[in-house]
Every structure is written in structure tokens, then in C-alpha cells.
Amino acid sequence: MTFVLQDIPDIWVDVEIPTPGLEEPEALQARWRLHSFDDYKGRVEQLQAGELTDEQVVEDDLLELAGAETADGKPLPHCQELVDDVMSKTYARKALVLSWYKAQEGRAAAATKN
């Protein structure tokens, strides 16, 4: 087994959302831009110091959301309205922002089972 040193620009991660009133979490998939360790560390420090907001991280680094549906089961395509809606729900917002950390750590989305 070998390791190929290469730049990987983005990654899909699962976003488990503990929706109130549901026993099982709902899920989205988010594709995030990846940063070098130094950039990641700097962004984390800025977040902790309040110099960078969750909204800025999402605006700068979220490339796509997938897996959202309307109440009647129709797929919702990625768009700013979808991102804004997810960010307006506290329980979903936290899950989305935490998925940015998962992405930076290389925790790719689980493969779909047949």
C-alpha cells in the first residue's frame, strides 16, 4: 500500500441532522472546499476569536448541498435559498457547520450501500 501525495480540492461529507420530533436523524451531503493545514488552522483560530463567522465559512467553502427534498418528496437542487434555509434552522445549522470540520479532517461521505 502506498500514499500518493496530491492536492484534493474538495470532499463530500455526510451531514446528520437531529431533526426535532424525529427518532432518526435526517441527512444531507455537503461538498466542501479543502484547505491546507495552515489555512485550516488559521480559519479555526479566526472562528474561535470571532473574526470569522459560520456564514462566512459556508459562503467561502460550501460548494454544494445534496439530498434535500420538499415535504412531498421532490428533490431540491443546490441553491442559495436552500443554504439559507438550512442555516436558519439551529439544529441543521450546527450540523452543517460541524460537517466543515469533518471535511477538513478528510471524513468522506459513506459509500451508498446496494
Side-chain angles (χ1 to χ4, degrees):
M1 185 179 283
T2 63
F3 173 72
V4 178
L5 190 58
Q6 60 183 319
D7 287 333
I8 299 173
D10 58 63
I11 188 173
W12 283 97
V13 296
D14 293 326
V15 182
E16 284 196 9
I17 301 171
T19 304
L22 298 179
E23 289 185 28
E24 296 293 321
E26 295 183 289
L28 292 171
Q29 292 75 44
R31 186 167 62 101
W32 291 102
R33 175 178 286 106
L34 294 178
H35 294 279
S36 69
F37 177 75
D38 289 337
D39 290 344
Y40 165 70
K41 182 179 171 189
R43 290 177 76 77
V44 169
E45 289 170 357
Q46 288 178 308
L47 280 163
Q48 291 171 340
E51 299 165 1
L52 186 65
T53 66
D54 294 345
E55 289 84 2
Q56 288 171 302
V57 169
V58 169
E59 184 178 318
D60 292 347
D61 294 340
L62 181 65
L63 302 173
E64 189 174 353
L65 278 179
E69 297 179 345
T70 62
D72 58 357
K74 294 180 182 169
L76 285 170
H78 174 82
C79 64
Q80 190 59 49
E81 185 179 349
L82 173 60
V83 174
D84 292 345
D85 197 32
V86 170
M87 290 294 285
S88 73
K89 293 171 178 41
T90 305
Y91 58 92
R93 174 192 186 97
K94 181 177 180 180
L96 181 61
V97 172
L98 289 175
S99 78
W100 177 81
Y101 290 91
K102 287 178 19 179
Q104 301 307 314
E105 295 170 5
R107 296 188 206 168
T112 304
K113 295 179 182 176
N114 292 342

